[in-house]
Amino acid sequence: MTEATHQRAFDLVLFGATGFTGRLVAEYLAERCREGLSLRWAMAGRDRAKLQAVQSSINTDVPILVGDAMDEGSMRLLAEQTRLVLTTVGPYAKYGSALVAACAAQGTDYCDLTGEVHWMRAMIDAHHETARRTGARIVHTCGYDSIPSDLGTLALFDHVERTHGKKLERITHYAGESRGGISGGTIASMLALMEISSRDRSLRKLLANPYALNPEPLPEGPDGPDPMGVRYDDGLGMWTGPFVMAAVNSRVVRRSNALLDFRYGKQFRYTELSSTGRGTTGLARASALTAGLGSFMVLLQNTRARSLLAKRVLPKPGEGPSRATIEQGFFTSRFVGHGDGITAKLTIRGKRDPGYGATARMISESALCLLQDDLPKQGGVLTPASAMGMALVPRLEKAGIRFEYE
Ligand SMILES: NC(=O)c1ccc[n+]([C@@H]2O[C@H](COP(=O)([O-])OP(=O)(O)OC[C@H]3O[C@@H](n4cnc5c(N)ncnc54)[C@H](OP(=O)(O)O)[C@@H]3O)[C@@H](O)[C@H]2O)c1
């Protein structure tokens, strides 16, 4: 971001305010402003009447901007008017490319909630150099994917360096107890990814590469495929199974390491799993999770099954978990690090449904951190840890996401 961007009409434009997650973000930003936050912001989307309905439902009079994600001209206009765009318009591979191009070209900061690795790869290849030149910070994965993974890894590494003067050589992240739901927009993104990956072999190869988001040429690092089976973890004292988002989060953590000049080291290893508890209950849960995830993935590869699920069973775009599910939800992420003769632990505990209530806070605080905190001046297609670093942690803590070190 340059001095010139400070002259723009808005600090932040929320694009997608009419969607399920976008409304939650709008509500959170409006609440922060009522509490005294100084922010010149606007809500944007493709449908003025729907935006006006959101405006009155959250009791705010912020300006409204209208633009279609598929129209390059309107995305350029959006990017020119603001210092930062926060977008919840997804699936991003379908709707997001023109906006990223416009932000990179205009030096406009940007954050989103994508978990679509192939699209992030395309954005890195197309816009990283332009964004470096203009100073635009393009930050994908600012929600439950991949803030806990990326910031948890940085926070534990940083904590051990500061308190023990030592460097961790490997970190395992165990996604633990959680409660929440899923929205139609997330389902649409998953189905779209399954659709194209079932047709494209080179895409499947990219998605399987543990370093798919690293700067080119992709390295041969020490990490292998994401764990898929049931295992008992002695260090944690719990059963573990695969974690559905590991294929995204682990790639983001590895890109962070590379963008942070290999702060964790070139031989650093990162693994992500689900922890399912102790004893026979933990074993049964890990087995069910492993079998269930495997069957679901096989099912999603079938075109007919995908279309039936989308039409009859799964939530539609715009739909999502109830208010009670969002408010009563929570998540727990445990990190265990080893290296230099020590073992260190961090637990992140978040209030509210991880994918929506907590995610709305994570992306909003990421945007505010980019706008208001003293961060390194660097443009590019970045990650949460490389763009915002430890400055984001106190913001997350204030928003109900606690970091507890052992
Ligand atoms: N990483 C995470 O943790 C996380 C968590 C939650 C969501 N997400 C992702 O966030 C995205 C949104 O999810 P959601 O459930 O909020 O989706 P949603 O309810 O379907 O909302 C999609 C939004 O995009 C807008 N939109 C669609 N096409 C558009 C176009 N051509 N031009 C302008 N706006 C357009 C919709 O506008 P209309 O209202 O006018 O249709 C709506 O505001 C998905 O990609 C999802 O995977 C990620």
Side-chain angles (χ1 to χ4, degrees):
M1 190 172 41
T2 61
E3 282 307 308
T5 65
H6 283 268
Q7 316 300 326
R8 295 181 180 178
F10 302 108
D11 296 320
L12 184 157
V13 169
L14 162 60
F15 187 44
T18 57
F20 188 80
T21 318
R23 268 170 199 263
L24 297 173
V25 173
E27 231 175 80
Y28 182 70
L29 290 175
E31 186 186 309
R32 290 280 266 112
C33 289
R34 277 194 287 275
E35 288 165 3
L37 172 74
S38 164
L39 184 74
R40 299 168 306 150
W41 71 291
M43 293 192 299
R46 61 179 164 180
D47 183 329
R48 182 176 295 279
K50 263 179 130 176
L51 286 162
Q52 283 166 337
V54 176
Q55 209 183 25
S56 63
S57 74
I58 64 169
N59 199 15
T60 174
D61 58 0
V62 298
I64 281 175
L65 308 175
V66 179
D68 193 298
M70 307 307 272
D71 174 16
E72 285 177 22
S74 72
M75 290 303 95
R76 211 168 30 246
L77 215 59
L78 202 74
E80 276 169 7
Q81 297 184 65
T82 181
R83 293 170 58 204
L84 180 144
V85 178
L86 182 169
T87 171
T88 56
V89 174
Y92 292 89
K94 186 169 176 190
Y95 298 123
S97 302
L99 180 57
V100 174
C103 288
Q106 303 293 329
T108 305
D109 290 330
Y110 164 102
C111 51
D112 72 24
L113 294 175
T114 188
E116 297 145 270
V117 169
H118 66 301
W119 180 69
M120 287 189 258
R121 179 74 256 168
M123 295 301 98
I124 292 166
D125 294 343
H127 305 299
H128 183 69
E129 284 311 318
T130 308
R132 271 166 62 101
R133 239 188 4 262
T134 62
R137 293 167 295 182
I138 308 293
V139 194
H140 300 303
T141 62
C142 291
Y144 182 56
D145 320 317
S146 308
I147 295 250
S149 308
D150 204 25
L151 265 291
T153 301
L154 176 66
L156 185 57
F157 191 89
D158 182 80
H159 173 77
V160 168
E161 246 184 3
R162 277 187 295 104
T163 54
H164 302 281
K166 297 195 169 191
K167 288 189 185 301
L168 293 174
E169 289 149 16
R170 64 186 158 98
I171 291 180
T172 305
H173 168 200
Y174 305 88
E177 311 85 272
S178 69
R179 192 190 302 150
I182 192 154
S183 74
T186 300
I187 296 287
S189 301
M190 280 170 59
L191 293 177
L193 178 58
M194 292 311 288
E195 172 79 43
I196 46 167
S197 68
S198 65
R199 282 187 269 118
D200 185 339
R201 202 156 161 257
S202 65
L203 181 65
R204 290 200 296 278
K205 199 170 160 213
L206 173 73
L207 295 177
N209 187 324
Y211 296 91
L213 295 179
N214 273 54
E216 294 274 11
L218 301 188
E220 291 285 332
D223 280 327
D226 304 303
M228 283 310 290
V230 176
R231 271 196 317 141
Y232 185 76
D233 191 294
D234 286 316
L236 193 69
M238 287 191 197
W239 288 95
T240 66
F243 182 49
V244 63
M245 296 316 297
V248 180
N249 297 333
S250 60
R251 277 57 170 170
V252 173
V253 171
R254 291 174 196 129
R255 178 167 178 79
S256 290
N257 189 22
L259 294 181
L260 291 167
D261 288 329
F262 291 99
R263 176 157 179 206
Y264 313 147
K266 286 196 172 162
Q267 293 306 308
F268 179 77
R269 285 185 290 151
Y270 177 81
T271 311
E272 196 160 290
L273 299 160
S274 292
S275 57
T276 57
R278 302 173 204 280
T280 46
T281 314
L283 170 61
R285 281 203 200 116
S287 310
L289 179 71
T290 307
L293 193 62
S295 319
F296 190 56
M297 288 303 171
V298 170
L299 199 65
L300 287 188
Q301 275 158 24
N302 181 294
T303 313
R304 224 176 121 74
R306 264 201 313 274
S307 122
L308 264 176
L309 282 172
K311 276 196 198 123
R312 303 264 168 87
V313 184
L314 300 168
K316 311 275 173 303
E319 298 174 359
S322 69
R323 182 61 60 161
T325 304
I326 292 174
E327 289 304 318
Q328 288 158 20
F330 64 90
F331 71 92
T332 314
S333 280
R334 295 186 179 81
F335 295 80
V336 180
H338 299 276
D340 235 350
I342 68 164
T343 296
K345 294 182 182 174
L346 161 68
T347 303
I348 302 180
R349 292 181 205 282
K351 287 185 189 161
R352 301 181 183 82
D353 174 309
Y356 303 96
T359 281
R361 282 157 178 76
M362 289 182 213
I363 191 167
S364 301
E365 292 300 335
S366 297
L368 296 173
C369 186
L370 287 168
L371 285 169
Q372 299 180 341
D373 293 354
D374 188 17
L375 303 175
K377 302 271 172 283
Q378 49 154 359
V381 181
L382 309 174
T383 56
S386 62
M388 282 114 32
M390 292 301 290
L392 186 58
V393 173
R395 288 184 167 276
L396 295 175
E397 292 205 311
K398 273 200 199 140
I401 298 161
R402 290 200 327 266
F403 285 58
E404 300 166 0
Y405 302 91
E406 279 174 49

